[in-house]
Amino acid sequence: MTEAARLLSAVPADRRVALVDPRFVGHVHALRLGLTDPRFPAATVPGALTAQPEARPALVRALDTTAEAVGAGVPTGTPAAPVTDRTVPGRLAVTMDAEGTSVQRPELGSLVAAVPTDAPTRAEAESALASVDDEAVRLRSAVKAHDGFFTTFFISPYSRYIARWCARRGLTPNQVTTASLLTALIAAGSAATGTRGGYVAAGVLLLLSFILDCTDGQLARYSLQYSTMGAWLDATFDRAKEYAYYAGLALGAARGGDDVWALALGAMVLQACRHVIDFSFNEANHDAVANSSPTAALSDRLDSVGWTVWVRRMIVLPIGERWAMIAVLTAVTTPRIVFYALLIGCAFAACYTTAGRLLRSLTRKAERTDRAARALAELADSGPLAQFVAARGPRIPGAFSAPVIAFVGTGALIAAALQQPFGSKQMIFAAVFYAICSGVAVARPLKGALDWLVPPIFRAAEYCTVLILAARSDVPGALPAAFGLVSAVAYHHYDTVYRIRGGTGAPPQWLVRTIGGHEGRTLVVAVLAAVFTQHSAFTVALTTLAVAVALVVLVESIRFWVSSGAPAVHDEGEPA
């Protein structure tokens, strides 16, 4: 250990270091998993240990502690964390864990990583090494463990080989992600031509974009090229591609004399609300205490029946199935039919998933944590008006008070948008009432069984209000302008989700205050509808608001995600 300390001190403090026992026998990919993954400050496999710069001090302390313990004849390890790997790296890993530095231990599966101590065990390890194809395991592990039916059976069987081809030519996941975005944008442009040939090309290109979208993640897992920028690109580009394609279809339909902008915006609103339901429910139950539910138990039993797993994954219309449906329908039908299919399919999927989550929440005996309540409050995106009411208004008790109050405010807002004449001052009063309800709803910590519904209700209120007012305005260009505004706001909401997932918290409060929060933007749109009722003024006002929101959120988001403080992660969640 003295020699290890001497070698360690000779390495610059800003470099990653690794300790490997000279007797190590194992696959190269086992070492790769243990020593090169950038997501973890420290990691270990039997006989090897790595530490990134932030974990170097902990490694030095562990060297000192372990050397003293071994010198004094004191066994290292604890009853809770016994030393199973008696090598120097193994002892150090246990000591680092005991002293508060988490050390990642990747699952190796059939890969071999061992430190034989005699000839028979070395022969056994070498035999196991020869019996496993390292490259085959690496290719299999490049594919997500849980993915949709279409992706699993129609994309991944060959996209993993595309990922390997990219890795051997030095291409990065970010480059593949960018190629996927460009391909989708070209597909949207093809759809915007409004011709049958353009629609066929758009469908083919959309599928190609999805293949590249799968490839970038597989390339990241194959070569362990996780990065800060990659996390941001992968998390946001899928939404940008899909919604840009909706706009392309709407433009193409308009060229043929069919105005489907309301359907395009409706499809985007429905899809965005579906996503926020997913995010909100998962955050609310991420670390719930005493988590138990008969509904969850039934779901687990169904998972043991193979065919039900795939049926249930297809019912929710994940990105693979959804994009395949969009591509095929674009090529053989019309944009209007594409949007009808999207709205029907996504509405059914939303009802199915939301009903299941409601049952789980109502039958689950769990205590929500402060972290979950904070995440829901951040997802709520409350602006200055709602925050003022929350701080000074009443705190209504009750297990379901928060979602009920949010629903009442939303119902009044949408009812006014649907029933009042466009430009009516009553719409402003409805928006003020909604802002008050929004503040009252978040006045207490969101720890109730159904409080995860509050952020989705707020999203539905804001997005649907913009959609309804633009549709009822009968002003040329109002719906495309509304599409742009909802796109900008939805980007902000997705950005919030992925920051929370990365463990860095929501966007700064100054950003939320600057763009008004959900209730502030809703009130502004209601005022704009009441003030600008003539000619194209409402369209200009919506466009100006959309550009302003987009500029603020994009500049701050890009600054955050390219900064060194953002997490090096990759999305391994359920297909969206």
Side-chain angles (χ1 to χ4, degrees), residues 83 153 164 294 320-321 330 350 450 469 489 508 563:
V83 178
F153 293 102
R164 181 171 66 180
E321 278 76 357
T330 299
L450 298 181
L469 290 179
V489 175
S563 70

Side-chain angles (χ1 to χ4, degrees), residues 294-386:
T295 308
L298 174 62
S299 177
D300 292 339
R301 287 197 296 273
L302 288 174
D303 282 344
S304 64
V305 183
W307 65 270
T308 66
V309 175
W310 296 116
V311 171
R312 292 165 67 208
R313 288 187 190 177
M314 293 172 67
I315 285 176
V316 300
L317 205 63
I319 187 169
E321 278 76 357
R322 193 167 66 250
W323 283 27
M325 180 185 74
I326 293 171
V328 172
L329 290 179
T330 299
V332 300
T333 64
T334 65
R336 180 172 290 274
I337 293 176
V338 173
F339 286 125
Y340 281 153
L342 264 176
L343 288 168
I344 293 171
C346 289
F348 178 81
C351 291
Y352 170 78
T353 55
T354 304
R357 286 165 179 166
L358 285 171
L359 287 173
R360 289 190 184 202
S361 300
L362 292 172
T363 58
R364 172 178 286 158
K365 298 177 181 179
E367 179 182 347
R368 271 67 181 186
T369 64
D370 291 337
R371 175 199 171 281
R374 184 171 61 254
L376 290 180
E378 291 169 342
L379 287 172
D381 190 35
S382 299
L385 292 176

Side-chain angles (χ1 to χ4, degrees), residues 37-374:
D37 195 322
R39 296 174 296 176
F40 310 107
T44 186
V45 294
L49 171 70
T50 186
Q52 296 207 58
E54 60 266 36
R56 288 276 296 273
L59 176 58
V60 172
R61 290 193 301 269
L63 274 168
D64 294 340
T65 302
T66 305
E68 291 174 3
V70 172
V74 178
T76 56
T78 65
V83 178
T84 56
D85 179 2
R86 292 287 177 179
T87 64
V88 170
R91 292 172 183 269
L92 292 175
V94 171
T95 303
M96 290 174 70
D97 269 329
E99 293 181 349
T101 300
S102 178
V103 180
Q104 172 70 13
R105 291 170 172 80
E107 290 289 337
L108 298 181
S110 59
L111 296 174
V112 175
V115 181
T117 55
D118 52 41
T121 55
R122 172 169 287 276
E124 181 180 352
E126 290 176 346
S127 175
L129 182 69
S131 66
V132 175
D133 186 343
D134 175 83
E135 180 61 18
V137 172
R138 189 182 181 189
L139 273 173
R140 285 197 303 271
S141 63
V143 178
K144 273 186 180 180
H146 303 287
D147 224 328
F149 179 86
F150 180 77
T151 305
T152 299
F153 293 102
F154 292 92
I155 304 296
S156 293
Y158 56 87
S159 61
R160 69 185 74 180
Y161 296 101
I162 300 175
R164 181 171 66 180
W165 182 90
C166 293
R168 291 177 176 177
R169 282 151 184 83
L171 297 176
T172 67
N174 293 352
Q175 291 170 332
V176 178
T177 301
T178 303
S180 176
L181 174 65
L182 293 175
T183 304
L185 293 179
I186 296 172
S190 299
T193 63
T195 65
R196 178 52 54 196
Y199 289 149
V200 172
V204 172
L205 288 169
L206 187 65
L207 287 177
L208 177 58
S209 175
F210 181 65
I211 293 170
L212 293 173
D213 181 60
C214 295
T215 300
D216 66 355
Q218 291 165 359
L219 175 58
R221 287 181 285 271
Y222 180 85
S223 55
L224 300 179
Q225 294 185 73
Y226 304 104
S227 69
T228 304
M229 180 64 77
W232 175 61
L233 295 178
D234 188 70
T236 57
F237 276 14
D238 279 352
R239 307 289 80 81
K241 288 181 288 189
E242 185 167 2
Y243 299 154
Y245 192 83
Y246 292 177
L249 284 174
L251 288 169
R255 292 175 70 91
D258 189 12
D259 187 352
V260 297
W261 274 108
L263 295 177
L265 182 51
M268 181 169 68
V269 168
L270 180 55
Q271 190 59 31
C273 289
R274 280 188 63 203
H275 284 141
V276 78
I277 288 173
D278 295 343
F279 300 143
S280 187
F281 178 81
N282 290 336
E283 288 301 326
N285 297 282
H286 181 268
D287 49 5
V289 179
N291 185 357
S292 62
S293 165
T295 308
L298 174 62
S299 177
D300 292 339
R301 287 197 296 273
L302 288 174
D303 282 344
S304 64
V305 183
W307 65 270
T308 66
V309 175
W310 296 116
V311 171
R312 292 165 67 208
R313 288 187 190 177
M314 293 172 67
I315 285 176
V316 300
L317 205 63
I319 187 169
E321 278 76 357
R322 193 167 66 250
W323 283 27
M325 180 185 74
I326 293 171
V328 172
L329 290 179
T330 299
V332 300
T333 64
T334 65
R336 180 172 290 274
I337 293 176
V338 173
F339 286 125
Y340 281 153
L342 264 176
L343 288 168
I344 293 171
C346 289
F348 178 81
C351 291
Y352 170 78
T353 55
T354 304
R357 286 165 179 166
L358 285 171
L359 287 173
R360 289 190 184 202
S361 300
L362 292 172
T363 58
R364 172 178 286 158
K365 298 177 181 179
E367 179 182 347
R368 271 67 181 186
T369 64
D370 291 337
R371 175 199 171 281
R374 184 171 61 254

Side-chain angles (χ1 to χ4, degrees), residues 367-444:
E367 179 182 347
R368 271 67 181 186
T369 64
D370 291 337
R371 175 199 171 281
R374 184 171 61 254
L376 290 180
E378 291 169 342
L379 287 172
D381 190 35
S382 299
L385 292 176
Q387 291 176 3
F388 178 84
V389 173
R392 293 168 175 78
R395 299 193 173 190
I396 300 177
F400 306 120
S401 61
V404 168
I405 294 168
F407 185 79
V408 168
T410 297
L413 178 70
I414 293 178
L418 287 170
Q419 296 176 4
Q420 295 297 322
F422 178 77
S424 170
K425 301 298 187 292
Q426 299 300 320
M427 188 64 207
I428 298 178
F429 294 123
V432 171
F433 178 72
Y434 168 72
I436 294 172
C437 289
S438 300
V440 174
V442 298
R444 298 169 64 244

